[in-house]
Amino acid sequence: MATSIYLDYNASAPVRPAVIEAMTQALAAGGNPSSVHGAGRASRRRIEEARDDVANLVGAAADEVVFTSGGTEANALALLGCDAEQVMVSAIEHLSVRQAVPDALQIPVLPDGVIDLDAAAAMLDKAKGKRVLVSVMLANNEIGTIQPVAELARMAHDKGALVHCDAVQAAGKIAFTMAQLEVDLLSLSAHKIGGPQGCGALIVRGGTAEIDLNPILRGGGQERGLRAGTENVAGIAGFGAAAREAKQGFGDWRRVEELRDQLEGRIAQAIPQARIFGAKSRRLPNTICVALPGVPAQTQVMVLDLANVQVSAGSACSSGKVAPSHVLKAMGVPPDLAACAIRISLGWTSGADDIDAFMSPWAGLAAQTRNTKAANAA
Ligand code: PLP
């Protein structure tokens, strides 16, 4: 059987062997972490060890970590738990942020895929006197652009606002700490760093002592009263193992970045009509969002899949249905070009062979499209 070439790390990274081991041990051990007997206490220890590891990945304290069922829930807890009178989110946030507060004001982005800080400042001025929450992601999931979170946070704090950052895509790929970002709340997701799906965390600056946060899920005192429900012990143990490995693996992303640059170079050379979005901005080391004009993204994904190469169509969607990318739209990309954008996201298992495996069918598709166009024109 042909090996598959996995270039979709931003959707879900492959689960690390150490994660499988940690989760298997936790599942085999069992025990409810709220129980006072030995099995319960052992289960509690696993959670607290993982809490240390997750906190450590982002330079936080263990008592600032609230485990959730993933990045989506962490975002919802931040956005809905703050009781803000006015929420502002960037126009390129993940849907879990955009749809948590559908009437939030939108901070526009510039054509390079980075938020417009001047516009944000004007919006903050206008909301003076209100309890404001600003939510901006650290790195965009579709195009990888890195946002000026610390600058925005300083500005927002000067005006008395709280700041949340969705760091789901940035965590483990670029090094940062809560203190460097100067944010109050930060979302993480285990499956983007090689941990299990269905597990995440909200980091709350100073724990409950500093930020007045209301739980969404009630009915139990778990997670210091911020998230009721028996903890996903195996998931959390896996998240901890993934965070530990991610923290040790930052060096490898330089190699991935070189690989990404090589791939972009080959795309530019072989297919000059291809458009790479956000290429001039600071980006994650692993992400390429590229449009092949005239070829719908779904066609590209299918042709690549037949060649055992896995990528996403622009924005990967939960239902498998591809909606137009709100990120590219916010950047002013024409809809017909946005409909031809795919996302390639590399990771620690990626190598030079993977680039060859991608280029061969994709360049073939581009050539076929060129030939069909020429034949139609003749
Ligand atoms: N935020 C961003 C930027 C994401 O890319 C994703 C997932 O793709 C999420 C949040 C949601 O995370 P989860 O899948 O853990 O709910």
Side-chain angles (χ1 to χ4, degrees), residues 108-145:
V109 296
L110 300 166
D112 59 3
V114 176
I115 58 160
D116 183 341
L117 281 172
D118 293 337
M123 289 166 69
L124 283 162
D125 279 340
K126 220 166 154 194
K128 210 167 144 195
K130 287 189 182 163
R131 243 187 352 267
V132 175
L133 172 71
V134 183
S135 179
V136 170
M137 64 202 335
L138 182 51
N140 181 264
N141 45 306
E142 291 182 36
I143 54 172
T145 50

Side-chain angles (χ1 to χ4, degrees), residues 8-345:
D8 205 10
Y9 272 69
N10 288 12
S12 260
V15 178
R16 299 170 190 266
V19 168
I20 296 173
E21 202 184 311
M23 292 183 73
T24 307
Q25 280 175 12
L27 284 170
N32 186 320
S34 295
S35 300
V36 291
H37 50 60
R41 291 198 308 277
S43 192
R44 166 65 49 207
R45 265 198 306 279
R46 281 181 210 282
I47 292 184
E48 297 316 319
E49 277 169 25
R51 200 184 300 282
D52 285 340
D53 289 326
V54 170
N56 205 16
L57 178 64
V58 294
D63 63 2
E64 295 178 311
V65 177
V66 179
F67 285 117
T68 64
S69 66
T72 299
E73 189 192 322
N75 285 341
L77 179 56
L79 286 148
L80 302 174
C82 275
D83 203 20
E85 290 170 293
Q86 180 70 74
V87 177
M88 297 178 188
V89 307
S90 91
I92 57 169
E93 292 304 304
H94 188 262
L95 287 184
S96 57
V97 166
R98 283 161 64 82
Q99 293 185 358
V101 183
D103 60 356
L105 294 180
Q106 283 201 23
I107 303 169
V109 296
L110 300 166
D112 59 3
V114 176
I115 58 160
D116 183 341
L117 281 172
D118 293 337
M123 289 166 69
L124 283 162
D125 279 340
K126 220 166 154 194
K128 210 167 144 195
K130 287 189 182 163
R131 243 187 352 267
V132 175
L133 172 71
V134 183
S135 179
V136 170
M137 64 202 335
L138 182 51
N140 181 264
N141 45 306
E142 291 182 36
I143 54 172
T145 50
I146 295 172
Q147 305 301 317
V149 172
E151 244 177 298
L152 176 76
R154 239 167 276 143
M155 208 159 79
H157 283 151
D158 278 352
K159 305 200 193 280
L162 275 180
V163 182
H164 164 250
C165 176
D166 174 348
V168 162
Q169 288 293 345
K173 296 182 186 127
I174 54 170
F176 63 87
T177 64
M178 263 302 260
Q180 284 164 348
L181 297 183
E182 301 184 34
V183 297
D184 303 296
L185 299 154
L186 184 108
S187 299
L188 300 173
S189 172
H191 71 108
K192 310 293 185 180
I193 64 168
Q197 295 160 341
C199 190
L202 182 68
I203 315 292
V204 183
R205 183 178 53 77
T208 40
E210 298 230 5
I211 310 235
D212 200 10
L213 198 64
N214 299 306
I216 305 174
L217 299 180
R218 297 165 193 266
Q222 291 93 344
E223 297 303 286
R224 293 186 178 76
L226 282 174
R227 205 277 181 178
T230 302
E231 298 88 338
N232 172 4
V233 182
I236 290 170
F239 190 8
R244 217 167 31 242
E245 293 219 337
K247 172 113 198 198
Q248 288 158 6
F250 281 120
D252 194 39
W253 290 99
R254 273 195 288 278
R255 179 190 67 79
V256 174
E257 187 165 23
E258 277 169 24
L259 215 53
R260 193 269 315 265
D261 291 346
Q262 274 171 34
L263 177 52
E264 289 194 347
R266 284 182 61 179
I267 289 174
Q269 200 177 29
I271 307 150
Q273 74 273 26
R275 270 276 306 278
I276 296 174
F277 300 105
K280 293 205 167 69
S281 305
R282 236 185 103 217
R283 272 181 303 162
L284 290 176
N286 75 322
T287 308
I288 303 176
C289 181
V290 60
L292 182 54
V295 188
Q298 291 93 319
T299 307
Q300 298 176 54
V301 171
M302 274 176 344
V303 166
L304 287 162
D305 191 39
L306 287 172
N308 280 312
V309 179
Q310 284 142 23
V311 301
S312 276
S315 171
C317 297
S318 47
S319 59
K321 174 176 98 206
V322 180
S325 160
H326 66 278
V327 174
L328 297 179
K329 183 168 177 231
M331 291 164 64
V333 176
D336 55 337
L337 187 60
C340 300
I342 58 165
R343 179 186 67 191
I344 306 156
S345 49

